[in-house]
Amino acid sequence: MTLERAVAFAPASVANVAIGFDILGFAVDALGDRITVTRTVQSGVRIASTTGVATDLPTDPERNTAGRALLALNVAAKPDFGFELQIEKGIPLGSGLGGSAASAVGAVVAANALLARPFTKLELLKFAMQGEVVASGSMHVDNIAPCLFGGLTLTVGIDDPRIKRIPVPKGICAVITHPHMFLSTKQARAILKREVGMADFVWQTANLAGFISGCYTNDLDMIRECLNDVVIEPQRRQLIPGFSAVHAAAISAGALGCSISGAGPTMFAWALEPQAERVRSTMLAEFARNGVECDHWVVPVESDGARIVA
Ligand code: HSE
């Protein structure tokens, strides 16, 4: 039976996870975008509506992350029908929570459900990557991969990406604090230096290797030691009011680590369940002291990726 319409939920995500710039991310199932794709007689891709927490999105598919991703799928699928998109944003733009990735992923997951011969997840990933270019000007996958596959994911490669879902030790959850401010990913990427010093390179490599091995071996001390970004965070923290105080508060409340979610301004911490509420309240208190109000969640790191919900 062929479907006329499908609705996909695509979760938010935390990219980089401190030490895996552009290659590591985890899904945040507490919020996400809902994308409805309807089969149309007329071929091509049309955006019918954008609603939710961001409504002034471009409706030209070429300039819209969901539209561009769906155009890429459309070229590959060559269906004898067209697609109409309704985008309901649950993820604020410029929040550092992977909003553009979620729209792109939701669009291709929903459209895929209408196809007689659906694509694999890896093929959908490549279509969604086209959408990410519209938003940030670069083809990074660290939001798209966890949004699509769920959990903590590592992506190796761009042209022929390989995805690994990394196991997360039981009892670890993520504290997410989203300051009410907009930060452009393009701008947060533009300020980054093009070169990395040798000492920083060695530390960052060690931290990434230690973090991943800590996840595989349930070594919480190793995770705590390594969840520490010596390259990107020092350059971006000035963009977030109160960053140093929030970071220090999270660590002193027992967090395993704390850093910027993606390009910011959202900050995340990893903590064991018994410490999570305290980590959340101290981070919020420090943001408040700096005049910043936040949305906030405590979520499991292990969670599902994008899925059909109707
Ligand atoms: N890895 C990207 C960055 C994620 O930090 O610029 C942006 O969402």
Side-chain angles (χ1 to χ4, degrees):
M1 193 191 75
T2 51
L3 287 178
E4 283 304 306
R5 166 182 298 208
V7 184
F9 172 82
S13 50
V14 168
N16 302 338
V17 200
I19 30 58
F21 182 66
D22 278 1
I23 59 169
L24 204 57
F26 65 86
V28 177
D29 213 42
L31 70 167
D33 290 354
R34 272 173 79 92
I35 311 289
T36 304
V37 178
T38 307
R39 177 192 291 262
T40 57
V41 174
Q42 196 185 348
S43 62
V45 173
R46 196 177 83 83
I47 298 175
S49 63
T50 60
T51 56
V53 296
T55 49
D56 54 350
L57 298 171
T59 51
D60 170 5
E62 280 288 351
R63 294 178 48 238
N64 178 292
T65 55
R68 176 77 84 87
L70 196 42
L71 284 169
L73 177 145
N74 190 47
V75 167
K78 299 183 193 65
D80 57 2
F81 57 91
F83 300 105
E84 186 185 86
L85 266 171
Q86 288 166 270
I87 302 166
E88 189 186 330
K89 291 294 298 175
I91 308 169
L93 293 183
S95 60
L97 283 166
S100 52
S103 293
V105 167
V108 295
V109 166
N112 206 35
L114 307 187
L115 299 178
R117 290 179 48 224
F119 291 104
T120 63
K121 272 195 180 181
L122 209 48
E123 288 168 321
L124 294 182
L125 178 98
K126 290 188 189 175
F127 301 140
M129 282 163 68
Q130 303 293 330
E132 192 67 285
V133 180
V134 180
S136 70
S138 79
M139 214 187 262
H140 55 270
V141 281
D142 48 346
N143 289 113
I144 290 169
C147 177
L148 186 57
F149 289 85
L152 175 66
T153 65
L154 171 73
T155 310
V156 177
I158 289 283
D159 294 337
D160 195 11
R162 289 163 194 272
I163 309 292
K164 273 278 175 220
R165 179 132 172 200
I166 311 290
V168 177
K170 274 202 172 40
I172 290 184
C173 47
V175 178
I176 314 286
T177 52
H178 163 234
H180 293 172
M181 57 180 273
F182 174 93
L183 193 54
S184 138
T185 300
K186 269 187 195 156
Q187 183 202 342
R189 290 181 82 81
I191 64 160
L192 299 176
K193 290 189 212 122
R194 302 290 106 187
E195 276 87 37
V196 177
M198 183 61 89
D200 287 345
F201 169 75
V202 173
W203 271 118
Q204 196 85 345
T205 314
N207 284 346
L208 177 58
F211 174 77
I212 300 285
S213 68
C215 283
Y216 273 99
T217 57
N218 289 313
D219 187 339
L220 297 181
D221 284 340
M222 182 69 116
I223 291 174
R224 189 189 294 278
E225 186 69 28
C226 294
L227 203 41
N228 186 17
D229 173 8
V230 298
V231 174
I232 306 296
E233 186 187 291
Q235 300 181 66
R236 281 182 170 169
R237 60 186 166 210
Q238 28 126 3
L239 301 174
I240 303 173
F243 174 92
S244 298
V246 174
H247 183 275
I251 300 300
S252 66
L256 294 167
C258 172
S259 189
I260 303 168
S261 170
T266 292
M267 289 179 66
F268 79 95
W270 271 22
L272 292 172
E273 271 159 22
Q275 277 86 48
E277 282 306 331
R278 195 167 143 62
V279 170
R280 163 159 56 184
S281 59
T282 55
M283 289 174 78
L284 291 175
E286 286 307 327
F287 266 128
R289 228 187 292 280
N290 283 274
V292 180
E293 269 187 62
C294 293
D295 301 318
H296 44 90
W297 302 268
V298 174
V299 293
V301 180
E302 294 285 24
S303 65
D304 292 335
R307 55 207 176 260
I308 298 295
V309 290

